[in-house]
Amino acid sequence: FDAAVAALTAAGFAPAADEWVLPAREPEPEPDPLRPHERRVGGREARLLIPPLLQQVVDLDTVDHVVIHEGDLHATTFSVSYPRGAMWIRGDLRVEEDVDDWEGAVLLVDGELTCRSARLRGAFACGGDLDAREFVYVNSGNDQAFLVGGTLHSKVFVECGMASYAERFAAEVWRTMNVVATTRDGVRVDLPRIARSAISTAHLASLGLGPDAVLELTQLLGLPEA
């Protein structure tokens, strides 16, 4: 090595003045700050607390922590994303605008969820009804799931992921992937797939969705814009 350095120096190369150092490691992301009436527990402890119905969508042994919100939660918009990881609301979740549950996150609601629209890409479950004024879009991937213990009310429900279950769907159902089912009398009844030719921006507008909601779903589904 010394001989190689000497040869390069003789050829006119100058050694760098500063020593080379390893780049600093990026700090681990900090969990989001808690709201009032919230506490954080480990995944194993959460497994002992969360009702079995809600646990059907996620293996809590793989979750680092769960944020528990005691009582109802009201918000203008609501989003759950990693590294917050998982959130359990022990009451109703009432959102004036949109709900976003990002990939890798977990959102569990004991009671009802009401919102303008819901875009759910992680694991989601609620014990009561889900009432979305515009649409519900689910793309849960192959390792997540979606479950509604009551009735899903919306103008259109779009499933682009692996599996979705509700006690009842009061919405036009666009099933593009594997399983969408009701659980009448404890028996899961699979709903048929929709033909791709039936999925269009014009049809979305005919369901009564507002222009903003039509544009959002058009972009989410990669439909040609009118």
Side-chain angles (χ1 to χ4, degrees), residues 12-205:
F13 290 93
D18 297 330
E19 293 184 2
W20 184 78
V21 295
L22 289 170
R25 291 185 60 187
E26 293 186 6
E28 293 291 328
E30 292 292 331
D32 294 343
L34 299 180
R35 300 177 182 88
H37 312 297
E38 291 183 355
R39 59 192 174 97
R40 186 178 288 111
V41 301
R44 290 182 180 273
E45 181 181 352
R47 187 179 63 178
L48 301 176
L49 301 172
I50 294 175
L53 174 70
L54 303 187
Q55 291 194 39
Q56 291 184 36
V57 303
V58 62
D59 179 4
L60 290 172
D61 282 336
T62 66
V63 174
D64 292 334
H65 68 270
V66 176
V67 173
I68 300 176
H69 180 93
E70 298 290 350
D72 298 342
L73 178 57
H74 299 254
T76 303
T77 61
F78 187 82
S79 179
V80 181
S81 60
Y82 187 85
R84 193 178 184 91
M87 186 164 190
W88 174 30
I89 298 170
R90 301 187 69 178
D92 296 333
L93 175 58
R94 304 194 182 280
V95 182
E96 295 176 19
E97 296 296 330
D98 301 333
V99 174
D100 285 285
D101 176 11
W102 293 93
E103 184 177 358
V106 177
L107 175 58
L108 308 174
V109 181
D110 273 358
E112 299 180 352
L113 167 59
T114 59
C115 58
R116 184 193 76 95
S117 65
R119 297 179 291 267
L120 304 169
R121 304 168 180 87
F124 171 82
C126 68
D129 294 344
L130 192 166
D131 193 343
R133 299 189 302 276
E134 292 285 3
F135 67 84
V136 177
Y137 169 84
V138 177
N139 191 347
S140 54
N142 290 329
D143 57 352
Q144 305 291 352
F146 172 96
L147 183 146
V148 173
T151 299
L152 187 151
H153 300 269
S154 192
K155 292 172 182 173
V156 61
F157 171 79
V158 181
E159 167 63 275
C160 296
M162 181 67 177
S164 291
Y165 305 98
E167 188 67 23
R168 178 172 175 267
F169 286 95
E172 178 160 322
V173 176
W174 290 14
R175 170 194 167 194
T176 64
M177 289 293 286
N178 293 326
V179 177
V180 174
T182 61
T183 55
R184 299 169 192 155
D185 300 321
V187 178
R188 289 180 172 171
V189 180
D190 197 18
L191 302 183
R193 295 191 183 199
I194 186 170
R196 293 295 300 183
S197 59
I199 301 176
S200 68
T201 299
H203 187 56
L204 283 174

